Amino acid sequence: MGVRGDSELETGISPKPLVTQKQFTDIKANVAQSSAPTGPRFTRSQLETHAGGRISELFGPAFEAQDGYTLQVRMPQPPLLLADRVLGIEGEAGRLGTGRIWTETDVGADAWYLHHGRMPGGVMIEAGQADLMLVSWQGIDAHNRGERVYRLLGCELTYHGDLPRVGETLRFDIRLDGHAAQGDVRLMFFHYDCDNGGRAQLSVRKGQAGFFTAQELAESAGCLWSPESQAIVPDPRLDAPTVATVPASLSRQQLEAFAAGDTAAAFGEGFELARTHTRSPSIHAGRMLLLDRITALSADGGPWGRGYLRAELDVHPQQWFFDGHFKNDPCMPGTLMFEACLQAMAVYLAACGYTLKRDAWRFQPVPELAYQLQCRGQVIPSSKCLVTEVFVEERIEGPTPTLYADLLCTVDGLKAFHARRVALELVPDWPLESDPEAGRDDRGRAVAVVDGFAFDQRAVLACALGKPSTAFGPMYRRFDGPMRVARLPSPPYLFISRIAEVHGPIGMMKAGARVVAEYDLPEAVWYLDDNGSRTMPFAVLLEAALQPCGWLSSYVGSALTVDSELGFRNLDGEGEVLAELHGGEGILRTEVELTDVSASAGMIIESFAVRCWLGEREVYRLRTVFGFFPPEALANQAGLPKQAAQAELLAREGDALIDLDAAPPAFFASTRPRLPGPMLRMIDRIEGWWPEAGAAGLGQLRAVKDIDPGEWFFKAHFFQDPVQPGSLGLEAMLQALQAAALLRQLDAGIADPRFECIGLGQTHRWKYRGQVLPHNRRVHTTLELTAIEREAVGVLLRADASLWVDGMRIYEAQGLSLRIVPGEA
């Protein structure tokens, strides 16, 4: 490329400098960091003219002679034209020397490069591209005479803070520090600063570019770097992968799965937990996926024995980046080579299993570190293969997973790009952050405001999927990082629309605090469609009653009273449903009071009184207990005691096998009460029905559900803490009771029969002492009928039930009741 070795990086090919190296350094040290833009301004359409039209239309008649050159120094064409406007140019037109240009780039919601609402690290560097326009303004083409093209040689770059996000505007202050020449070959030296709304975003120093003929480019010796000669950290941190097997290679199909957020499909066995993710950490998809295959991947391989990855991208003339970069001079931007390297590093971290317990986190270059980038080759339409290699120097599992590595890109055997000790980290993120419009409709209803903080729909949604401080204000900022915090379920299992009232001081964990939550009953919603009749299922009503308890626990600051993570779980309850609910009936108001709090040994137990209302009609009243527990306590739960008769019912050889997934008419006929549809149904098969068994001789039933880590409820309950809702365990018991009623044909003689959501006016009790997690295999529901009572217009059933996970009894319900009544609700 006209520059023969890394030792010549600063000055190129022994040039006669127009600005000496000392002057270059002094300029960078002494020029003021900010001043108001001056000189000519240019719009986006004018920038597009510079990229593809007659440059004299922008710069004036003095540039007309240059319009005849086939090769000119130009801004990239769309889509790689990233500057949206030029705010000013400082320097004399047509005269090479020092200069300055100011540009802005808007990060729009429809920008083609966005990944989860943010600008990728390589693309952000490319946005500082207006050094091209500045040197064009200075008349470089009058010297190049259509024979030379621009190529970046290297720079030192430092990221500051998080990557830019939608709605932000980047301002670049680009300074051309000088030129150097030897014969017709010219080099330029530059640096720039990028700020974002007043904060530093990116700094580029020691920027160097040159203008070369095709022959000079073809004769480049490439980067002289080799891993064998590189001095590396002598005592590295090399944390082990968290999966048993790191995949040794990946196909394009697997990479596309990873880019689409399907980590389990990408990496295979051992990565099943990723199926619970709301939004798996991923890399760019589509044309911005700059890797076609991974041909080598190892946790302890490579020349340093610390880990290695090798990727390939097939190059062909139709690659999208050739179209706009540049006119009559198609080449892949070096910034996209760097982006390919960042993608390869992200693949490496994910392949080590580091994303599995970090739902919705995202990859970004570690800020405040200076990275040295060297470019000594090019990818052009005649190139065949771009090889990207990652040489691992250090690997850190947490709390913020980080990879330190040297990066090397080789084009058809030529070392074209090298970056020394680049660091990529996996940082916390939240799905709500990339959707700024979500949760903005409170339907004109008043919301609770405490110390100026509104607990509106957006704040409620943030309690499920957003930053904890967005849900509860500054006191929860300590959880805006790696540490997890108790959450509300997320849609479609979130049944709070807003907080209407709250009484009691925020952040003070003591009895007496109260909250009123509202839930707008939708006309059409999945649970009405899935239920056997169009009434709210008991599980949904129970969640609408319990979720405000969880919210109130967070409001009083329960999680703030200890320094470690705590999981939030329901323990038991007793309640009575007084009325059924239908779609579109209005607003369900849930009143909750925290009645008791006790804390011991890192655990917190809280009791609540709950009443639910639809207008003046009381719908549900209950008392319930929740607990906050450290992860190790949840992991070591022993379950509920099991009596010999209960264990025998679980182990008894089945006398029937009814596949409910096949929708047998006896359980799904339109003329009979029906079991729910597949989303709400929590039993897959009936393994046994013994119609005369049990103490009352009324029958016993056993049903089973196979656990799939990809179940919708693991994604919804909870974000970063997947566990099956206890309410769905109780729903499984009710569905088993429904199945027993249908097997006994208790609907016979009832006009247009249907099931109530649960026995109205009847007390029900439940107890939880375990949990259903994604790694579990099977859940059994066992049920014993205790009473069948014929009523004036229907029939009432009572039962006791247990729920078992992989043989452990974890839930029980006593006095569970159900009615078959006439008439469609």
Side-chain angles (χ1 to χ4, degrees):
M1 188 178 284
V3 176
R4 293 291 178 171
D6 298 341
S7 62
E8 299 173 349
L9 177 63
E10 293 294 323
T11 58
I13 47 176
S14 301
K16 298 175 182 177
L18 300 179
V19 177
T20 68
Q21 186 62 40
K22 181 179 184 304
Q23 289 172 320
F24 176 31
T25 303
D26 290 343
I27 288 170
K28 292 190 292 180
N30 297 326
V31 174
Q33 284 301 105
S34 64
S35 62
T38 60
R41 302 168 67 92
F42 297 97
T43 64
R44 170 73 183 195
S45 63
Q46 290 173 309
L47 288 172
E48 291 179 1
T49 297
H50 188 273
R54 294 174 59 85
I55 291 178
S56 63
E57 292 181 11
L58 299 182
F59 296 162
F63 287 79
E64 287 180 351
Q66 300 172 38
D67 287 339
Y69 297 140
T70 301
L71 294 176
Q72 294 173 278
V73 175
R74 292 179 176 272
M75 293 286 277
Q77 293 178 294
L80 286 167
L81 178 59
L82 299 172
D84 287 312
R85 66 197 68 87
V86 173
L87 303 179
I89 297 180
E90 184 180 280
E92 185 177 344
R95 184 177 181 278
L96 293 181
T98 60
R100 191 174 182 182
I101 188 169
W102 295 265
T103 68
E104 286 185 340
T105 296
D106 300 323
V107 184
D110 57 350
W112 61 269
Y113 50 74
L114 289 177
H115 185 54
H116 296 321
R118 292 185 183 267
M119 176 185 277
V123 174
M124 178 166 49
I125 305 168
E126 182 63 34
Q129 59 197 195
D131 60 312
L132 292 159
M133 190 165 186
L134 179 56
V135 75
S136 172
W137 164 264
Q138 291 189 345
I140 189 64
D141 287 313
H143 297 269
N144 291 340
R145 299 183 179 277
E147 298 172 350
R148 296 179 175 275
V149 294
Y150 170 99
R151 291 294 184 267
L152 179 68
L153 293 176
C155 67
E156 176 187 281
L157 67 91
T158 304
Y159 293 95
H160 306 290
D162 287 334
L163 294 172
R165 53 197 285 184
V166 169
E168 296 178 339
T169 294
L170 306 182
R171 175 176 286 202
F172 292 87
D173 180 357
I174 302 169
R175 308 174 196 225
L176 207 167
D177 299 305
H179 301 262
Q182 180 176 357
D184 292 331
V185 177
R186 287 188 173 269
L187 302 177
M188 56 179 274
F189 305 97
F190 65 93
H191 74 282
Y192 70 71
D193 293 288
C194 170
D195 71 59
N196 179 352
R199 73 169 179 89
Q201 181 70 79
L202 178 68
S203 301
V204 170
R205 297 293 183 267
K206 303 178 184 177
Q208 301 144 66
F211 304 92
F212 304 98
T213 66
Q215 181 176 351
E216 289 165 346
L217 291 171
E219 293 175 350
S220 172
C223 297
L224 302 184
W225 179 87
S226 70
E228 292 78 11
S229 62
Q230 178 66 58
I232 57 177
V233 173
D235 299 309
R237 179 172 169 182
L238 289 170
D239 292 343
T242 58
V243 290
T245 303
V246 174
S249 62
L250 298 168
S251 66
R252 175 73 184 197
Q253 183 178 7
Q254 289 172 294
L255 289 170
E256 288 175 347
F258 178 52
D262 192 348
T263 300
F267 298 112
E269 185 176 355
F271 289 81
E272 292 81 5
L273 183 61
R275 298 185 62 204
T276 70
H277 286 176
T278 303
R279 189 191 73 197
S280 283
S282 65
I283 57 177
H284 232 305
R287 64 183 179 182
M288 274 293 287
L289 176 54
L290 301 172
L291 312 170
D292 279 335
R293 67 195 68 86
I294 306 297
T295 60
L297 201 166
S298 169
D300 55 6
W304 299 339
R306 300 178 179 184
Y308 176 73
L309 180 147
R310 182 184 185 277
E312 294 179 350
L313 175 70
D314 296 328
V315 182
H316 51 79
Q318 289 74 41
Q319 287 281 12
W320 65 274
F321 43 73
F322 288 141
D323 292 338
H325 191 275
F326 300 98
K327 182 180 179 181
N328 297 327
D329 175 30
C331 67
M332 181 182 190
T335 53
L336 289 189
M337 287 193 210
F338 186 55
E339 184 65 30
C341 293
L342 296 178
Q343 292 179 7
M345 294 178 75
V347 170
Y348 186 93
L349 282 172
C352 288
Y354 295 169
T355 67
L356 290 178
K357 294 185 178 181
R358 296 176 173 92
D359 187 4
W361 288 34
R362 59 181 175 82
F363 300 102
Q364 69 175 19
V366 175
E368 311 310 329
L369 295 178
Y371 304 128
Q372 308 293 331
L373 276 57
Q374 300 174 357
C375 303
R376 293 294 184 272
Q378 57 179 352
V379 177
I380 57 178
S382 61
S383 302
K384 301 302 180 185
C385 184
L386 172 65
V387 174
T388 298
E389 293 178 277
V390 177
F391 300 88
V392 175
E393 188 170 11
E394 291 190 90
R395 182 178 60 242
I396 298 170
E397 189 274 334
T400 301
T402 307
L403 183 68
Y404 294 86
D406 272 38
L407 309 172
L408 181 66
C409 290
T410 303
V411 184
D412 299 340
L414 180 75
K415 296 177 182 178
F417 172 87
H418 171 249
R420 168 67 188 136
R421 194 171 162 81
V422 174
L424 187 80
E425 61 183 353
L426 184 63
V427 297
D429 200 1
W430 302 268
L432 192 63
E433 291 295 294
S434 59
D435 189 359
E437 298 306 315
R440 300 295 188 186
D441 182 13
D442 281 297
R443 302 189 181 187
R445 302 280 298 180
V447 300
V449 178
V450 177
D451 297 335
F453 189 91
F455 293 104
D456 54 13
Q457 187 184 63
R458 178 79 177 180
V460 169
L461 196 55
C463 191
L465 290 171
K467 275 186 177 181
S469 64
T470 304
F472 292 102
M475 74 174 185
Y476 267 76
R477 282 190 183 137
R478 62 180 273 196
F479 295 105
D480 290 350
M483 185 180 290
R484 296 176 300 170
V485 69
R487 297 244 177 212
L488 289 175
S490 58
Y493 217 56
L494 175 61
F495 305 117
I496 302 176
S497 299
R498 68 194 65 85
I499 302 301
E501 301 175 25
V502 63
H503 304 275
I506 189 170
M508 188 173 295
M509 190 179 70
K510 65 177 185 178
R514 293 182 292 122
V515 65
V516 178
E518 294 184 345
Y519 174 52
D520 301 325
L521 297 174
E523 286 275 3
V525 65
W526 68 271
Y527 57 75
L528 294 179
D529 296 336
D530 242 39
N531 204 13
S533 63
R534 292 191 65 81
T535 58
M536 178 183 283
F538 172 70
V540 174
L541 177 58
L542 180 59
E543 284 291 326
L546 295 181
Q547 288 177 13
C549 301
W551 185 93
L552 187 58
S553 289
S554 295
Y555 173 84
V556 299
S558 304
L560 300 173
T561 61
V562 298
D563 295 328
S564 58
E565 289 185 355
L566 295 175
F568 186 65
R569 299 291 188 267
N570 189 227
L571 294 176
D572 51 59
E574 176 177 312
E576 181 181 359
V577 176
L578 304 172
E580 292 185 287
L581 294 173
H582 311 86
E585 281 193 307
I587 297 173
L588 179 69
R589 288 173 57 87
T590 299
E591 303 172 353
V592 173
E593 181 179 358
L594 176 60
T595 58
D596 187 64
V597 178
S598 62
S600 176
M603 294 181 280
I604 305 167
I605 305 299
E606 298 179 341
S607 302
F608 299 88
V610 184
R611 300 179 77 180
C612 300
W613 302 81
L614 184 66
E616 299 299 317
R617 180 170 49 141
E618 189 171 11
V619 174
Y620 193 16
R621 66 169 73 105
L622 73 150
R623 290 186 173 273
T624 189
V625 178
F626 281 86
F628 285 90
F629 302 98
E632 56 273 17
L634 291 173
N636 294 319
Q637 288 178 287
L640 290 164
K642 55 184 178 184
Q643 299 175 0
Q646 294 169 332
E648 187 276 331
L649 177 55
L650 176 69
R652 186 185 303 167
E653 184 176 352
D655 69 343
L657 181 61
I658 303 172
D659 182 5
L660 297 175
D661 290 338
F667 299 90
F668 296 95
S670 60
T671 56
R672 301 190 69 190
R674 297 185 297 280
L675 293 183
M679 185 169 174
L680 182 61
R681 182 162 46 81
M682 291 294 119
I683 54 177
D684 294 336
R685 297 177 300 282
I686 296 173
E687 290 185 330
W689 164 238
W690 300 273
E692 297 179 358
L698 296 175
Q700 292 177 324
L701 182 143
R702 187 176 73 235
V704 64
K705 177 176 177 59
D706 299 321
I707 296 302
D708 178 355
E711 297 268 15
W712 65 269
F713 49 76
F714 284 132
K715 299 178 187 294
H717 186 277
F718 301 99
F719 174 55
Q720 298 180 339
D721 179 21
V723 58
Q724 179 179 299
S727 58
L728 291 181
L730 295 181
E731 189 68 27
M733 297 175 183
L734 283 169
Q735 291 169 13
L737 186 54
Q738 291 173 349
L742 291 170
L743 287 166
R744 277 197 163 275
Q745 299 186 352
L746 295 176
D747 56 317
I750 300 176
D752 194 15
R754 69 173 183 88
F755 292 121
E756 286 182 341
C757 67
I758 195 171
L760 299 185
Q762 309 294 312
T763 299
H764 53 270
R765 301 176 184 86
W766 72 88
K767 183 179 291 184
Y768 304 146
R769 292 298 184 270
Q771 51 190 349
V772 179
L773 299 173
H775 69 263
N776 292 130
R777 303 296 300 276
R778 193 159 291 160
V779 169
H780 282 90
T781 301
T782 55
L783 178 106
E784 180 173 328
L785 286 157
T786 58
I788 300 175
E789 302 174 14
R790 292 284 178 177
E791 298 180 329
V793 293
V795 60
L796 174 69
L797 299 86
R798 300 184 195 277
D800 293 335
S802 296
L803 188 135
W804 311 67
V805 59
D806 295 338
M808 178 188 292
R809 183 170 175 262
I810 60 170
Y811 299 173
E812 69 176 16
Q814 296 178 333
L816 196 65
S817 64
L818 178 73
R819 277 193 181 89
I820 303 176
V821 296
E824 178 62 29

